Amino acid sequence: MRNIWIINESEAIARLLNEELSKLELATPVQTIPSLFCTEGDQWSDSGDDQVCFLAIESIDETHFELLRSLKSATGAKLVVVSPIPQPETVVALIRAGASDVLLCEENLSCDLSAVLGRLRSESNSTKSNGRVVTILPTGDVCDANILATNLAAVIAAKERSCALVDLHLGGGDLATMLKLQPKHTLFDLLTQQEVVDDAMIEQAIVRHASGIDLLASPPLFNDMNRVNLQPCGNIFRFTNRTRPFTILNAERTSFSEQIYLDSSSESIVLTTRLDVISISRTQETLRFLSRIGVDSSNIWVVAMRTGCDGELPYVAVKKVLKVDRLFCIPDDPIGFTVSLNLGNPLVLESPRSAASQQIQSFVESLIGYPESLPQRPSRASHLATRFVNRLSQAFSVPNARL
């Protein structure tokens, strides 16, 4: 780092910051600026992304959000807020306003400072990220998201020669088993590191599938979640984004999807669902959640898995209830899916001509910008369409829903 500044909005926090930074014996000079509000914006105009500005704030209010936005637009310096235990929603608002990180004034501040400076230094020394990031988020059956994630990664890897696939199921995921891979290291090893997670560590944890999928496997089942620290996730996402053309994040429901979205700069979020009342209700709630954390609806894709069954909710009614323009349907293929799982080979490679494979490929082409394919309706029409439309309209208060 070329420069480190402390902007003093709290004498006590600024003094603590100075003391903790001095313990790190940094070669970089630390400068304290008396007050953020007395600082002219012009002095930040030539500050590059190899500089860090700590904002020592006792009580956060709207003025600080405005200042963060102004500084973010005026400077490339990394902005880190240090404050006493803000509420989770305040942390999210600070990051949206331009903060690179938010640190709490507590006993382990020295360790947090060391970690964040290491991460920011790594970012500054790295080349610009060129890859694209897609997050898969299940609203119901986790297996649906697993199947879509592995097949999506396989299609992209076939076109781009490689695709990173990160299994973010912290309680133990299935992607390594699904691909018949036996990684020596997993995400758990990275998220329990006491030191800064660097590029070499991440690369060592990645294992390659014959299809070109580069998998970073989930932690094992029944691991000690108390040891997990999510802070390295940002480093991991930036590394795969920089070294692979695509990164697929196979996420848990919404337990920490907000942090994933903020850390990963995911350009698209894909929700997997089923065409039944419970699944659609959960999808509705997930869409509301994503809207609350600032995800643009144009970046959200909804994919109904294993469609084409008698009695399922009608396609048009579901689109109207969810208020989405795009609803992709992947037809059910019990034999194909089971065989591909047992062989450790994604369906699009094992049975490329099956209806499900064709629809997955069509979806991927639309998602990543290859020649456009239109979403298809389920392969078999529901015999109970009219009754379901009426019941669904009443259940979700959507007037006049018709096929």
Side-chain angles (χ1 to χ4, degrees):
M1 293 294 175
R2 182 154 49 95
N3 281 306
I4 296 177
W5 292 296
I6 298 175
I7 296 179
N8 181 3
E9 279 295 303
S10 165
E11 290 287 348
I13 298 174
R15 186 167 53 253
L16 177 62
L17 262 174
N18 260 311
E19 292 171 358
E20 296 298 339
L21 288 169
S22 65
K23 293 177 185 177
L24 299 178
E25 299 181 350
L26 303 169
T28 307
V30 178
Q31 306 172 52
T32 300
I33 301 172
S35 173
L36 179 58
F37 300 105
C38 297
T39 303
E40 294 295 332
D42 291 344
Q43 87 172 65
W44 306 98
S45 59
D46 61 347
S47 56
D49 63 0
D50 59 344
Q51 305 184 68
V52 180
C53 176
F54 289 100
L55 283 70
I57 305 173
E58 181 70 35
S59 178
I60 298 169
D61 57 39
E62 183 57 35
T63 344
H64 297 105
F65 296 127
E66 287 298 326
L67 232 0
L68 272 170
R69 284 188 279 269
S70 300
L71 285 173
K72 184 68 175 177
S73 62
T75 175
K78 307 297 183 182
L79 307 173
V80 180
V81 175
V82 183
S83 183
I85 314 177
Q87 297 297 317
E89 57 268 22
T90 306
V91 174
V92 173
L94 289 168
I95 292 174
R96 287 185 194 155
S100 297
D101 214 324
V102 179
L103 303 183
L104 307 183
C105 295
E106 51 188 16
E107 291 181 1
N108 61 346
L109 179 59
S110 180
C111 294
D112 290 342
L113 284 171
S114 178
V116 77
L117 287 172
R119 176 174 66 81
L120 296 177
R121 189 181 298 111
S122 175
E123 287 179 30
S124 299
N125 293 335
S126 301
T127 57
K128 293 278 186 184
S129 298
N130 296 316
R132 298 168 63 181
V133 183
V134 176
T135 298
I136 310 291
L137 189 62
T139 63
D141 191 342
V142 171
C143 188
D144 288 343
N146 291 342
I147 289 172
L148 186 62
T150 51
N151 280 277
L152 190 151
V155 173
I156 294 174
K159 294 178 182 293
E160 304 286 345
R161 299 189 178 180
S162 71
C163 178
L165 177 58
V166 184
D167 193 345
L168 291 165
H169 290 256
L170 298 187
D174 301 316
L175 298 192
T177 305
M178 289 174 67
L179 295 171
K180 290 290 189 290
L181 295 173
Q182 295 180 329
K184 293 181 180 178
H185 304 285
T186 71
L187 190 63
F188 186 76
D189 298 308
L190 299 178
L191 300 185
T192 54
Q193 283 290 327
Q194 296 300 313
E195 55 193 66
V196 176
V197 174
D198 59 25
D199 292 356
M201 293 179 184
I202 301 169
E203 191 64 62
Q204 287 174 1
I206 291 174
V207 59
R208 171 156 281 216
H209 186 263
S211 63
I213 296 173
D214 289 331
L215 175 69
L216 179 53
S218 69
L221 286 168
F222 311 116
N223 61 79
D224 183 4
M225 289 292 291
N226 292 326
R227 295 175 56 201
V228 171
N229 171 24
L230 295 181
Q231 193 171 31
C233 283
N235 270 10
I236 294 167
F237 302 151
R238 280 183 287 275
F239 173 77
T240 59
N241 198 16
R242 195 172 66 246
T243 58
R244 271 77 175 175
F246 279 86
T247 296
I248 309 300
L249 304 179
N250 190 44
E252 292 185 281
R253 289 190 174 91
T254 51
S255 55
F256 70 113
S257 55
E258 183 166 5
Q259 179 164 346
I260 289 174
Y261 174 70
L262 293 168
D263 284 349
S264 70
S265 300
S266 184
E267 67 176 53
S268 300
I269 294 182
V270 179
L271 305 182
T272 58
T273 188
R274 297 280 185 104
L275 296 183
D276 61 70
V277 170
I278 302 301
S279 298
I280 298 308
S281 176
R282 294 177 66 90
T283 304
Q284 257 193 334
E285 288 301 315
T286 305
L287 288 168
R288 292 191 188 107
F289 168 80
L290 294 174
S291 176
R292 285 199 302 272
I293 67 171
V295 181
D296 194 310
S297 60
S298 65
N299 296 331
I300 301 173
W301 304 67
V302 181
V303 178
M305 300 293 291
R306 300 191 176 229
T307 63
C309 303
D310 290 340
E312 67 188 15
L313 299 178
Y315 174 86
V316 173
V318 170
K319 279 185 66 178
K320 191 163 188 175
V321 166
L322 296 180
K323 300 177 183 178
V324 295
D325 296 325
R326 301 171 299 208
L327 176 61
F328 285 79
C329 294
I330 310 301
D332 197 11
D333 184 355
I335 296 175
F337 283 128
T338 302
V339 169
S340 72
L341 289 173
N342 289 338
L343 294 178
N345 200 29
L347 182 69
V348 292
L349 303 178
E350 189 63 33
S351 304
R353 295 184 180 179
S354 70
S357 290
Q358 293 293 318
Q359 284 301 96
I360 290 171
Q361 292 182 58
S362 174
F363 166 66
V364 176
E365 288 169 358
S366 294
L367 175 68
I368 66 180
Y370 289 142
E372 207 168 301
S373 299
L374 294 175
Q376 300 295 316
R377 295 192 185 191
S379 57
R380 286 183 287 164
S382 169
H383 297 300
L384 304 176
T386 304
R387 286 167 58 190
F388 268 127
V389 172
N390 293 334
R391 290 181 182 178
L392 195 64
S393 300
Q394 293 172 5
F396 293 102
S397 301
V398 178
N400 303 319
R402 297 177 184 173
L403 282 174

